[in-house]
Amino acid sequence: MADASPTAPAARSDRRPEAAIVIPLYNEATVIGGVISELLQHFERVICVDDGSTDDSAEVAEAAGARVIRHPHNLGQGAALQTGIAYARVQPGVRYLVTFDADGQHRVVDALAMLDLAEHEQAAIIFGSRFLDDRTKPGLAKKIVLKTAVAVTNLTTGLTLTDAHNGLRVLRVDAAHAVNLKQDRMAHASEIVVQLGKSGLPWREFPVEVLYTDYSKAKGQSLLNSINILVDLVIN
Amino acid sequence: MWFQIILIVALAGIAVYLVRSTPSPRHLAIRRLLVLLALAAGVVAVLWPGLLSWLAALVGIGRGADLLFYLAIVAGLIYVVNEYKRSVQLTRANTQLAREIALTEARLTDRITELEERLAAKPSA
């Protein structure tokens, strides 16, 4: 990676060169450093899109060795994800994109396993799902929000997913080119499924564990925000 | 009551407009025509106040002032919906602009780093 900072770990042969990690980043200075360090042990390219953080998230991410792209001001997670995808999908040597959350709720082993699955099954899209097994334990309110999101997404996309708003996904480059998110805020999670579904490319779901720490719980989606998601999806 | 039907149809029309329509020059022309018509109707109503009451009675409303009130609400709603759509469009344009700035900067720094590395490697080569 041309822009690796001096503090980045030395290049290791077992790091995956064909996949780029894409992380939308907004005010996660306390956790993002750890997330990136762990990812860099397994991946060569970690791309962070700093969405106008008001803390020093961008500096921390850069110091940890990520390629940081900065939005001039806060636009929303969907906008940051789209910027990251647009950048990553044209990087030479990149064949897969992995979207990853900044708050440390995803497990790197899941991302690696999803990449292997995409490779072995020639699938262009792997959706992470926390509902395929019972490792993940969301609270009741969260379960209602997430299950409603799944129902609405399935209704509008024709795909039958078990989890809609999961930030961990693997996109082959051709699938990444089918993505053009217009929803700047949380509704992008449904929009990306719609666009990927329309691409007609082969997809799979993969059971992942979502780690609900006190930190990620405090930042999570509220019941009321699901109303925003619904309205954003219906009205353009 | 005729006006109830007219009012419900108007409100439903606004709801459809909110969810469905995409901006086009045709819509702009229609909006401008409507504004002109409303202005002309206003002048007429001022010159012949009796007309309003006559029209109100015709569609089943007691007073002309009530008719004016209902019409004002419908006009206000149309305005709100229009402004909402416009603000969504502006937000999208703003996002695209911001993204282009971010990506241009990223491409530029990538290129500079690449050139710097090549320059640094040259003497030893």
Side-chain angles (χ1 to χ4, degrees):
Chain A
M1 204 157 90
D3 47 86
S5 74
T7 50
R12 282 166 41 178
S13 53
D14 55 339
R15 294 202 297 170
R16 312 281 291 246
E18 82 281 18
I21 307 283
V22 176
I23 306 177
L25 175 62
Y26 181 64
N27 289 354
E28 305 277 6
T30 50
V31 288
I32 188 63
V35 172
I36 289 170
S37 305
E38 200 191 342
L39 282 166
L40 278 173
Q41 290 171 17
H42 303 276
F43 298 95
E44 263 183 39
R45 303 163 202 257
V46 176
I47 297 157
C48 266
V49 182
D50 175 53
D51 193 25
S53 294
T54 50
D55 61 6
D56 53 355
S57 291
E59 289 75 18
V60 173
E62 210 144 53
R67 173 79 179 96
V68 177
I69 301 168
R70 289 163 212 256
H71 277 172
H73 53 257
N74 181 248
L75 297 167
Q77 195 186 44
L81 190 63
Q82 177 61 37
T83 302
I85 289 173
Y87 177 81
R89 69 188 172 195
V90 294
Q91 296 303 305
V94 168
R95 290 193 293 122
Y96 291 98
L97 272 60
V98 181
T99 67
F100 208 85
D101 282 358
D103 60 5
Q105 64 169 309
H106 296 316
R107 296 167 74 229
V108 177
V109 284
D110 284 336
L112 290 165
M114 285 165 72
L115 267 177
D116 290 338
L117 180 72
E119 195 79 62
H120 289 143
E121 299 211 1
Q122 306 284 307
I125 307 150
I126 312 284
F127 295 105
S129 172
R130 74 202 98 179
F131 294 120
L132 280 179
D133 58 27
D134 51 8
R135 282 180 295 168
T136 305
K137 295 181 174 54
L140 180 66
K142 197 168 198 100
K143 210 165 188 169
I144 294 172
V145 174
L146 290 167
K147 282 295 177 189
T148 311
V150 172
V152 172
T153 306
N154 286 347
L155 213 67
T156 47
T157 59
L159 303 185
T160 45
L161 298 180
T162 54
D163 190 2
H165 286 204
N166 194 314
L168 185 52
R169 312 172 191 88
V170 169
L171 308 177
R172 207 166 63 195
V173 163
D174 53 343
H177 277 282
V179 176
N180 179 20
L181 299 174
K182 295 193 178 72
Q183 299 284 356
D184 286 350
R185 287 172 294 170
M186 288 314 296
H188 73 271
S190 300
E191 194 187 21
I192 196 170
V193 180
V194 174
Q195 294 177 350
L196 289 171
K198 272 190 194 146
S199 76
L201 291 163
W203 59 275
R204 302 275 186 283
E205 269 195 315
F206 185 83
V208 301
E209 185 177 2
V210 171
L211 307 166
Y212 290 117
T213 56
D214 287 340
Y215 178 81
S216 73
K217 268 184 201 154
K219 287 211 144 198
Q221 293 297 300
S222 76
L223 211 52
L224 268 178
N225 201 17
S226 52
I227 293 172
N228 285 336
I229 294 173
L230 279 179
V231 172
D232 278 344
L233 282 176
V234 173
I235 301 171
N236 325 259
Chain B
M1 203 175 175
W2 271 107
F3 197 66
Q4 278 179 321
I5 297 166
I6 296 171
L7 210 53
I8 287 168
V9 168
L11 291 177
I14 291 172
V16 170
Y17 177 58
L18 173 66
V19 177
R20 285 272 145 137
S21 94
T22 45
S24 73
R26 235 179 103 238
H27 284 152
L28 181 65
I30 292 172
R31 279 205 302 276
R32 286 172 172 172
L33 269 178
L34 282 177
V35 170
L36 275 180
L37 269 176
L39 283 174
V43 171
V44 171
V46 168
L47 288 178
W48 295 283
L51 265 181
L52 213 53
S53 295
W54 171 78
L55 196 62
L58 196 71
V59 293
I61 302 170
R63 302 181 306 165
D66 289 341
L67 177 66
L68 205 60
F69 179 66
Y70 290 139
L71 290 180
I73 287 177
V74 171
L77 273 177
I78 291 174
Y79 177 77
V80 167
V81 168
N82 264 330
E83 284 306 299
Y84 177 81
K85 284 171 154 307
R86 223 167 66 92
S87 106
V88 169
Q89 271 182 290
L90 285 175
T91 308
R92 294 225 167 124
N94 172 54
T95 298
Q96 273 170 16
L97 196 60
R99 176 169 302 129
E100 277 316 308
I101 290 172
L103 288 177
T104 304
E105 196 208 344
R107 278 192 291 263
L108 216 62
T109 48
D110 282 352
R111 187 86 183 114
I112 289 169
T113 329
E114 191 193 320
L115 289 174
E116 276 174 353
E117 271 173 5
R118 213 186 286 173
L119 219 61
K122 219 174 188 179
S124 60

